Amino acid sequence: MLNENPIERLITAYASGSATAEERLELEKWVNESPEHLQYCREFVDLWQTVHPAFDPAGIDVAGAGKRIRRKIAAPAPLRRLWTYWQRFAAVVLLPLVLLSAYLLTADHEPDTYEETEYRELISPHGTFSQIDLPDGTKVWLNGGSRLKYPLKFRPGERLVFLEGEGYFEVRSDRKNPFTVHAGQMTLIATGTAFNVEAFAADSLTAVTMAEGVASAAFGKNIPVTLNGGDRIVYNSRTSKGTLARTEPYKWYAWKDGQMIFRDDPLHYVFRRLEHTFNVSIVIRDRELAGELYRASFEEESLDEILRLLEMSAPIRFVHIKRTRTAEHRYEKQRIEVYRRKPAIGN
């Protein structure tokens, strides 16, 4: 076991905020060795914080602080009882002390270095898509209206990113450092594969389409599902249910090549894709229209061009609602209503 002086220096450094990541790991290992170590550490941290309610980490005298605290711990019983009363009072008044103690001494605690990690966020404008290479060599395409948060450097043992919207991932193979995507209620883990994720915050549906390889996806509190190339799973957060099916993967991520491919897809899905891509609101005024199937391919057309082609190939017409300003003097999202087109007279 380490002698008292090094441990006291570790605890004091931690309490002062000057401990390094290696020192925090060493201290946690020592605290978890026995209940006595835990109790000693608790007393030491509490006393140090009470004596130093505010401090400048750069000006800490670690050795001197340790000596003063040892004298407090070794004080006679009457003085110890008085000091215990003061500790209880300080625990209520000094909320940061309570939080710090809980952080260090939780049984299943793991050293949290996320606050030390620098993150970058990529936002892809509506009507286009973006492409980026992550620090590990993984390639990501981000669809319009989507955002990806990722660290400038991945931590050892994991590669964690956060997605809102739609992204296509070509994950560089690395079995020792699994690649994890958090997107709403979904967590997907892979080591080296390619897949597409649809997880828009305003949509109750989250979908994963596997282009190749194998991955594990968990939705909400459900048991993780193993996905293989050609699998597509769609999870509905409102019903907490998912559906797994085989599919032709490319149609679901053709957007990264500037294409929209629809193959016997209901019109409500076609319009939902247009909403996400072009940041508009499309309302179907005829319920029967929503379920009608549609087949088409679009490549780099604008929204107006796509709507014109839809009107030519389907019995529908669009009405553009005039945009109004909000109280914050911003224009509301473009609203488009869909109606069934009446047949021409005489037909």
Side-chain angles (χ1 to χ4, degrees):
M1 186 181 90
L2 295 175
N3 58 47
E4 289 186 355
N5 188 48
I7 288 300
E8 291 168 356
R9 290 180 61 85
L10 284 176
I11 301 175
T12 303
Y14 181 90
S16 71
S18 62
T20 64
E22 291 76 13
E23 289 174 331
R24 289 198 299 272
L25 287 171
E26 184 179 354
L27 177 59
E28 183 182 32
K29 181 179 179 181
W30 183 83
V31 166
N32 289 332
E33 286 180 354
S34 70
E36 290 76 18
H37 290 182
L38 176 64
Q39 180 62 29
Y40 186 86
C41 184
R42 179 182 287 115
E43 289 186 4
F44 206 109
V45 171
D46 288 350
L47 290 172
W48 194 96
Q49 287 282 0
T50 305
V51 175
H52 303 81
F55 55 87
D56 175 8
I60 295 298
D61 179 3
V62 175
K67 292 179 180 178
R68 289 194 297 273
I69 295 171
R70 284 197 301 275
R71 287 199 296 269
K72 296 289 185 181
I73 294 176
L79 183 58
R80 287 290 300 277
R81 286 194 294 270
L82 177 61
W83 189 252
T84 299
Y85 173 81
W86 168 243
Q87 282 182 271
R88 292 173 181 172
F89 172 76
V92 176
V93 176
L94 302 178
L95 180 59
L97 167 60
V98 179
L99 297 177
L100 179 62
S101 299
Y103 171 81
L104 174 63
L105 303 173
T106 301
D108 61 350
H109 165 66
E110 294 182 4
D112 186 1
T113 59
Y114 280 107
E115 70 275 8
E116 301 174 1
T117 302
E118 280 192 76
Y119 284 90
R120 178 173 293 169
E121 190 172 74
L122 173 65
I123 301 176
S124 185
H126 289 282
T128 184
F129 61 89
S130 307
Q131 194 272 324
I132 185 175
D133 292 337
L134 298 183
D136 68 327
T138 293
K139 296 182 181 296
V140 182
W141 285 260
L142 205 59
N143 207 349
S146 305
R147 63 181 62 202
L148 181 74
K149 182 179 178 182
Y150 62 95
L152 297 183
K153 182 179 180 181
F154 288 116
R155 297 174 60 192
E158 68 174 14
R159 295 175 286 168
L160 175 64
V161 301
F162 301 87
L163 172 71
E164 180 181 319
E166 183 169 23
Y168 178 75
F169 297 79
E170 289 183 354
V171 179
R172 186 181 69 81
S173 180
D174 185 352
R175 294 186 177 278
K176 293 183 179 180
N177 299 282
F179 190 91
T180 303
V181 179
H182 280 309
Q185 297 186 37
M186 186 209 72
T187 300
L188 184 147
I189 301 177
T191 54
T193 183
F195 52 85
N196 190 75
V197 176
E198 303 161 51
F200 288 91
D203 201 333
S204 61
L205 300 178
T206 300
V208 177
T209 304
M210 296 296 298
E212 60 184 48
V214 181
S216 173
F219 299 85
K221 297 180 180 180
N222 293 294
I223 297 173
V225 178
T226 299
L227 303 173
N228 298 281
D231 285 342
R232 175 175 168 83
I233 187 169
V234 180
Y235 175 77
N236 190 326
S237 60
R238 293 176 182 173
T239 62
S240 299
K241 294 182 179 179
T243 57
L244 177 64
R246 297 292 293 173
T247 187
E248 170 52 47
Y250 183 69
K251 64 165 284 188
W252 303 104
Y253 63 86
W255 57 264
K256 80 179 186 67
D257 298 322
Q259 300 182 54
M260 283 189 182
I261 299 177
F262 301 108
R263 295 291 181 265
D264 295 326
D265 293 307
L267 278 175
H268 71 79
Y269 172 76
V270 174
F271 294 141
R272 182 159 59 88
R273 295 292 293 178
L274 296 178
E275 285 182 325
H276 291 323
T277 302
F278 296 103
N279 192 33
V280 296
S281 177
I282 302 179
V283 181
I284 302 176
R285 291 304 187 185
D286 187 322
R287 292 184 178 180
E288 292 183 359
L289 277 176
E292 292 194 6
L293 304 182
Y294 188 77
R295 291 176 64 89
S297 296
F298 303 106
E299 186 169 359
E300 299 182 353
E301 282 90 351
S302 66
L303 175 62
D304 288 338
E305 291 172 328
I306 292 176
L307 295 181
R308 180 176 58 83
L309 292 170
L310 281 168
E311 283 185 321
M312 292 173 59
S313 56
I316 57 179
R317 63 184 180 89
F318 299 100
V319 176
H320 294 256
I321 306 303
K322 185 178 179 180
R323 300 176 69 183
T324 58
R325 287 190 178 184
T326 65
E328 294 77 21
H329 302 288
R330 297 179 180 179
Y331 279 104
E332 292 181 339
K333 183 185 296 186
Q334 175 66 59
R335 180 183 175 90
I336 301 172
E337 296 184 346
V338 185
Y339 296 86
R340 181 180 295 275
R341 187 176 65 241
K342 296 180 179 180
I345 297 176
N347 291 346

